Each structure stands twice: as C-alpha cells, then as structure tokens.
Amino acid sequence: MFVNSFNVRTFAANLKEGILKPQRMTLSTLKRTVFTVLFLSVFSFGFAKDAKEGGDDEKFDAKSMIMHHVKDAYGMHIITLNEGKEDEKHITIPLPVILWTDNGLTTFMSSEFHHDYHGHEIVEKNGGKFVNVHEKIYQLNAGETAVKLDEEGHPTNAEMPLDFSITRNVFMMWISVAVLLLIFFTAARRYKKSSDNVPSGIASFVEPLVVFVRDEIAKPMIGEHKYKKYMPYLLTVFFFIWINNIFGLIPILNGANLSGNIAFTMVLAIFTFIITTFSGNKNYWKHIFWMPGVPVPMKIFLAPIEIIGIFTKPISLMIRLFANITAGHIIILALMSLIFIFKSVAVAPVSVAFSLFIGIIEIVVTAIQAYIFTVLSALYFGMATEEAHH
Amino acid sequence: MTITGIAAIGAGLAAIGAGVGIGKIGGSAMEAMARQPEMHGKIQSSALILAAFVEAVALFGVVAALIV
Amino acid sequence: MDLIKPGFGLVFWTIITFLILLFLLRKFAWKPILGAVSEREEGIKEALASAENARKEMENLQADNERILQEARAEREAMLKDAREIREQTIAKAETEAQEKASKIIEKAQAAIESEKKAAMAELKSHVAGLSLDIAEKVVRNELSNKDKQLKLVEDMLGEATLK
C-alpha cells in the first residue's frame, strides 16, 4: 500500500518533469553495474573445494538450515555443486577472520575451515587452535586436541576469543555502503552539474525519496524549525536500512540477513537513543521525572514508568526491525523447506507460490520497516525537542 | 509439556493480540480513508505508526518466547 | 536464544561503518541534494512572488492608465466648457459694447442736431431781427407820415411776427 502510493508519486513527479526516459536509462545502467559487480565478486574469488559433511543420509533438518541462513557466517557460501557425491564442490567467497586472542591479533581466511561448522576442522594459527562451531569461532583451551560439545551443542573445553571477523553480514554491509555511496554521490554530482538545480538521471529517482523523508517524516514529526539538524541521520538510517532489507531478499547473496541481525538493529537503535537523550530539552526531562498537569501521587507513580519508557523505546525499535526481517526470512525458507520435508516435487508449486507471495509482501515490508524505523526515530527526536505548550 | 512448548504458546497468544489490535487499526483506518479520502496520506502514515506500536508489544512476547 | 545475542564483531563493524557512512553521505550527498532542493524551492517561491508582484504592478499600471484617461477626458470636457463660456461671454460683451457705442453715437448725433438747431435758430433770429429792423425802417419811413397807417402797420407786423 505504502510502496504503491510511493511509486505512483515518484512516477507522477517524473512524468511531470518529462524525464521518464533518461531515468529509465540510468536505472538500467545502475542495474547492470550492480549485477556486473556482483558477478565479478563471485567469480574472482576462488572455487573452494571439498569438505565432507557427516552422513549424507541424515534427515533434512529444516530448523538448523533456517537458523544457519538467518544467522551470521564466516564465509559467503553461494552454492554447493554435486552435493553428496565424490566431487562435492562448495562455491564460497572466503572472508577474513580477525580474532583478538591472548597472543595478539590472529587473522586467517575463513576458507581454512573448509566449510566445516561442526568443530571438526582445527585451524592452528599464532599459537592457538581454532574451531568453527555453528558459525562461532572458539579457541581450544591449551592442551586440548579436539572440541568437546555438551548436549546442547556448546563446546565445553573452548573459549570464545574477541571476534572482529569480516563476516558475511559485515561484507554485505560494506557492499550496501558502496552501493549507497555510488547512488547518492552520482545524484549529488548531477545537481552540481546542472546550473538550475533541476534533477536529471538518477537524481530524479532519488529526489522524491529524499523529499519524502523530509516532508512526510522529518517535518511532521519534529517540526518545521528543528528538523534540519536531524535530516542527515534520518536519511542515512532510512536508506541504510532499506537497502539492507532489499539485499537480504536477493537469493544469490544467500540471505545475508544484516537488517535481521540484532547487532545491526541494536547499533541503530542505540544511535537513536543517544541522539534523543542528548537533544532532550528541559520540557522533555520534566515530562519524564515530574509530569506536569497531574496530582503529586500520580507524578511519583508516572516517573518510573517514564524512565523505563526511555529505554523501551529504542529496545522496541531494535526488536521490531530485527523480528520483522528475520521472520520474513524464516517464513520464506520454511515454505521452501516443505519440499524437502515432504520429499515430493508435488509440493513444490504450492511452496513456491506461497514463498513468492510472501516474497512480494516482504518487498513491501522492506520499505515499511525502513519507514517505521525512521519515522519513530523522528518521533522520538520530536518528543525530545518539543517546547512546553501548556 | 516442555518449557519451549509453553513459550511457543505464549508467542502465539501475543500474535493473536497483535493481530486483533492491528486489525482494528487497519479497519478504522480504512473507514476513515473512505470517509475522508483527502486525508488518505496522513491516515495511512499514522495507521502504520500505530500498527508498529501494537506490533512491538507482540514482538516483545516473541522475544520472550525466544529467550526461554 | 542465540538469535537475540548481538555478536560483538558485527556491533563493532556496524558502529564504524554507520558513522563513516553518515559522515560521507552528510558531507557529499545530503548537503548538496537538500541544498539544491531547498534552493530550487526557494527559487520557485521567489518566482511565484515576483510573478504576483508583476501582476499587481500591471494592475496598478492599468488602474493608472484608466485614471489618466479619465483625467484627460475630464480635462477636455472642462476645456470645451470653458471655451464655450468664453465664446458666449465674448459675444455678449461685443453686443453690449456695440449697443453702447451705437447709443453714444446716436446721443452725440442728437446733441449735434440740437446744437445745430439752436445755432440755426439763433442765426435765424438774428436774421429775422435784422430783416424786421429793415422792414421796420422802411415801414417806418413809409408810414410815419400817416398816423393811422402807422398804427395799423405796427399792428399787422406784430401779428405777423409771432414767434414760436
């Protein structure tokens, strides 16, 4: 719904400007560039070989498959060829593992684990033995030669070192940053080139979105006079979340679920929290600690609630984005898993149709969640900077 | 029944609550839009924000279920 | 449970990446884009305002023109009226003057006639007096011999010489 009106508005705006054609051209150019970059990045990295997983006959475990897709990983696994045969081949983009251990900085490529995430493959580096247990790197305690797992699958004889690895999500985040910079720098250059500030090319695609954030989010939520200060943050958050939501839906990227990762949403929510707290004026703090306009017992009763409210606001921001995006991924993957759970091709049309349907909804949700996060951040900034009016 | 099973039931109850809440918001928003089509944009954005607030409560439930 | 435990590495990289992204976009994208957009909006606002001003000026100008035209018309009318009045006055004046002159001439002529008449009368009188003296002399010479005749004669002559 939201996206529809959005596009119609953009479309109408473009039509009015009479620049539909050049815009379409730049869009396709952009698309081509993005895909070229992606394919180059896929093929320029090595074809990693081999890796034996346990028994191939084991039952398809939908839950662990989904969890591995949704969570972070140390390498970008693209596809497995000839699965279960002699010449099984994993095509993976290896990513650097960066650890801070007792012996200092330890780095190696994720390909050294040879696609093992059960803790069988032990990598010896810098005087430490490292294993990958369910995409978490553990350092074996001194003297141990193999990892021991408890019944829940957690290692008992290993410690987790401080982990700065460039994981799949970090890698995708940087790609998204590169795409964002490419889009907006190009757009900004368009304005510099034109003498009369008339948008052309990609700028005419970007401008309605920027104006949307300004006129529909910042202005009504924060107010005409103060919104300017928060515009860079709101715009950056909006586009950063949106593009990562979209990237999470591209299947070839293997569900890099950045915006569905609680670490990512936590950082953004903390930024919103910090900005809200530091831009809070006297009126805002008065409303929290000594609510005006209510009797004294009520004031005392309300203060703790309001103080808790300061923290639940960013926490709900964090959880909302994380849960929405992760839930979308889980649903699509679960629907696809149905084929393998029933081991029947007959289920395929149904599950494909359903996951296509959910996929389309998810495309809408990418925009809605970016919008919600931005609009609520703006709302909190607006509450923090509101002047007393009674 | 295991604790995870109970947690799952809790998450389901939270989802029901949120479903009812968001349904009410959506219904009222539709009604309002039909009554005042010129306020379409404003009603839509406030309905989305309200839905987000309701949803947050349900998501707290889901997260609580995940933690257990 | 694992799902909602934020990984340290990702938190670290997200903070750094986001701050860099915010800085870069703020400096090289949002500033020029928002600047251009607001500049253009200002430009449009200004253009609209100036168009409005121009329209108002045009209206003023038109009103001025109308006013000037009306004034000119009124002036013309006033001038025409003045001219008509002056003409009438002139005519009236000329008429009265002519009348006065004519009456003066007539008066003069009358006076002249009167005086001529008087002079003529005086001359006539003196002539008549002379004549009568002559006559009287002659008669006297003739008639003085006869006393009756003398009286009769005086009586006749007096009857005849009745002067008006």
Side-chain angles (χ1 to χ4, degrees):
Chain A
M1 220 156 54
F2 159 78
V3 158
N4 256 349
S5 65
F6 213 56
N7 284 345
V8 167
R9 199 175 309 160
T10 319
F11 184 75
N14 289 338
L15 207 63
K16 234 188 284 167
E17 306 268 345
I19 38 174
L20 201 59
K21 218 171 172 192
Q23 187 220 344
R24 204 185 290 149
M25 263 165 63
T26 31
L27 261 185
S28 64
T29 330
L30 177 77
K31 238 185 285 172
R32 228 177 295 140
T33 325
V34 168
F35 279 118
T36 317
V37 167
L38 283 180
F39 280 116
L40 282 180
S41 66
V42 168
F43 288 110
S44 59
F45 286 99
F47 282 57
K49 266 190 255 159
D50 118 280
K52 267 243 142 319
E53 294 210 2
D56 189 49
D57 304 327
E58 66 185 296
K59 230 178 122 194
F60 176 72
D61 184 359
K63 192 183 166 194
S64 81
M65 184 279 279
I66 288 171
M67 281 305 151
H68 268 281
H69 270 276
V70 166
K71 280 197 240 168
D72 210 352
Y74 286 96
M76 271 200 80
H77 183 239
I78 305 291
I79 197 168
T80 304
L81 298 174
N82 303 328
E83 197 169 352
K85 294 195 186 131
E86 274 298 298
D87 52 349
E88 189 179 75
K89 224 187 227 175
H90 294 276
I91 300 177
T92 306
I93 304 172
L95 296 171
V97 174
I98 304 165
L99 303 169
W100 182 258
T101 61
D102 299 336
N103 300 334
L105 211 60
T106 309
T107 58
F108 53 92
M109 292 306 274
S110 67
S111 53
E112 296 198 27
F113 285 122
H114 299 294
H115 308 284
D116 165 61
Y117 52 83
H118 298 292
H120 302 313
E121 193 80 32
I122 294 168
V123 177
E124 286 199 47
K125 274 274 145 65
N126 205 6
K129 289 177 182 151
F130 302 98
V131 289
N132 180 348
V133 181
H134 289 284
E135 297 299 350
K136 281 208 161 35
I137 289 181
Y138 290 85
Q139 183 179 14
L140 292 181
N141 294 340
E144 303 281 350
T145 51
V147 68
K148 286 188 192 115
L149 304 177
D150 59 16
E151 65 267 26
E152 278 179 28
H154 295 301
T156 51
N157 60 346
E159 292 293 323
M160 279 178 77
L162 222 49
D163 191 346
F164 295 98
S165 301
I166 309 303
T167 56
R168 163 168 99 176
N169 280 341
V170 178
F171 181 66
M172 275 319 293
M173 178 162 67
W174 289 351
I175 288 181
S176 74
V177 165
V179 172
L180 278 181
L181 293 182
L182 184 76
I183 291 173
F184 289 107
F185 282 11
T186 322
R189 210 175 308 125
R190 285 269 176 184
Y191 282 106
K192 252 178 223 159
K193 258 195 242 160
S194 77
S195 51
D196 47 2
N197 290 328
V198 171
S200 61
I202 193 147
S204 61
F205 165 73
V206 160
E207 192 190 298
L209 298 172
V210 173
V211 171
F212 171 82
V213 172
R214 192 192 62 180
D215 290 351
E216 307 289 324
I217 297 178
K219 272 187 190 169
M221 295 299 157
I222 303 175
E224 283 285 338
H225 305 294
K226 296 175 199 137
Y227 80 92
K228 277 204 176 107
K229 205 167 67 179
Y230 302 102
M231 275 307 284
Y233 177 75
L234 294 176
L235 282 167
T236 310
V237 158
F238 180 75
F239 287 108
F240 197 34
I241 293 175
W242 195 12
I243 199 159
N244 278 304
N245 286 351
I246 291 170
F247 275 15
L249 285 182
I250 300 174
I252 192 79
L253 302 176
N254 216 7
N257 185 19
L258 179 61
S259 49
N261 192 301
I262 199 139
F264 177 80
T265 62
M266 187 182 82
V267 170
L268 295 184
I270 286 174
F271 276 119
T272 295
F273 172 71
I274 289 172
I275 294 172
T276 312
T277 311
F278 278 98
S279 55
N281 57 13
K282 212 176 118 201
N283 186 43
Y284 172 69
W285 294 116
K286 202 169 143 198
H287 269 82
I288 286 168
F289 291 113
W290 206 241
M291 179 72 81
V294 295
V296 173
M298 203 62 191
K299 282 181 206 272
I300 294 163
F301 177 69
L302 278 177
I305 294 177
E306 288 287 335
I307 290 166
I308 292 169
I310 300 176
F311 298 102
T312 53
K313 279 172 197 162
I315 288 171
S316 72
L317 270 186
M318 162 177 94
I319 290 173
R320 182 179 301 112
L321 183 58
F322 153 76
N324 269 289
I325 303 304
T326 304
H329 283 238
I330 289 175
I331 291 171
I332 292 178
L333 290 169
L335 285 169
M336 287 315 245
S337 301
L338 287 181
I339 304 171
F340 303 99
I341 290 168
F342 289 115
K343 290 195 171 161
S344 153
V345 185
V347 188
V350 180
S351 74
V352 166
F354 268 107
S355 55
L356 177 67
F357 170 67
I358 297 290
I360 289 165
I361 288 180
E362 280 304 303
I363 290 170
V364 180
V365 167
T366 58
I368 289 182
Q369 288 308 320
Y371 168 75
I372 292 278
F373 195 100
T374 318
V375 94
L376 289 180
S377 295
L379 189 70
Y380 299 152
F381 300 159
M383 281 158 80
T385 55
E386 199 181 15
E387 296 297 337
H389 49 70
H390 45 90
Chain B
M1 192 180 279
T2 58
I3 189 99
T4 19
I6 295 167
I9 290 172
L13 288 175
I16 290 174
V20 172
I22 292 175
K24 269 194 93 82
I25 290 168
S28 309
M30 281 289 162
E31 225 168 82
M33 274 187 234
R35 204 168 290 157
Q36 276 175 296
E38 71 277 2
M39 295 288 285
H40 176 268
K42 269 188 181 169
I43 293 169
Q44 200 169 54
S45 57
S46 21
L48 273 175
I49 294 167
L50 288 173
F53 282 132
V54 173
E55 185 191 53
V57 179
L59 291 175
F60 279 134
V62 172
V63 169
L66 273 175
I67 288 170
V68 168
Chain C
M1 183 63 206
D2 230 19
L3 214 52
I4 52 167
K5 248 196 224 153
F8 175 78
L10 192 52
V11 169
F12 174 78
W13 288 117
T14 309
I15 290 174
I16 289 176
T17 311
F18 183 76
L19 286 178
I20 291 170
L21 180 72
L22 183 62
F23 171 75
L24 286 178
L25 283 180
R26 182 199 174 111
K27 190 148 188 215
F28 299 111
W30 305 140
K31 226 177 223 173
I33 291 175
L34 286 173
V37 169
S38 63
E39 209 172 279
R40 197 179 57 221
E41 277 169 0
E42 287 294 309
I44 289 169
K45 231 181 253 172
E46 259 168 39
L48 282 176
S50 68
E52 181 69 12
N53 275 351
R55 201 179 58 83
K56 266 189 194 153
E57 231 158 78
M58 272 298 282
E59 259 171 26
N60 280 350
L61 226 72
Q62 247 166 0
D64 266 10
N65 278 352
E66 193 74 10
R67 196 170 49 78
I68 288 168
L69 208 69
Q70 227 142 26
E71 268 173 20
R73 211 172 282 148
E75 213 170 313
R76 196 191 65 182
E77 240 146 65
M79 271 163 86
L80 278 175
K81 209 172 141 196
D82 276 6
R84 215 175 289 134
E85 267 172 16
I86 287 170
R87 196 187 65 188
E88 272 164 16
Q89 269 176 6
T90 320
I91 288 170
K93 212 169 147 194
E95 262 174 11
T96 47
E97 262 174 23
Q99 237 157 13
E100 268 171 24
K101 245 182 202 165
S103 58
K104 260 184 196 164
I105 288 169
I106 290 166
E107 258 169 44
K108 253 186 195 166
Q110 272 174 344
I113 288 167
E114 198 76 10
S115 66
E116 287 289 310
K117 212 168 108 183
K118 271 181 188 163
M121 201 64 87
E123 209 172 315
L124 205 62
K125 261 181 197 171
S126 68
H127 261 290
V128 168
L131 219 66
S132 6
L133 270 178
D134 276 354
I135 292 165
E137 217 185 280
K138 276 170 190 169
V139 167
V140 166
R141 242 179 243 159
N142 248 335
E143 305 281 319
L144 277 180
S145 47
N146 192 335
K147 206 179 170 193
D148 292 339
K149 264 191 182 178
Q150 265 184 11
L151 283 169
K152 201 186 168 232
L153 184 73
V154 169
E155 212 146 299
D156 283 353
M157 278 176 100
L158 277 171
E160 272 169 23
T162 309
L163 284 168
K164 271 197 239 174

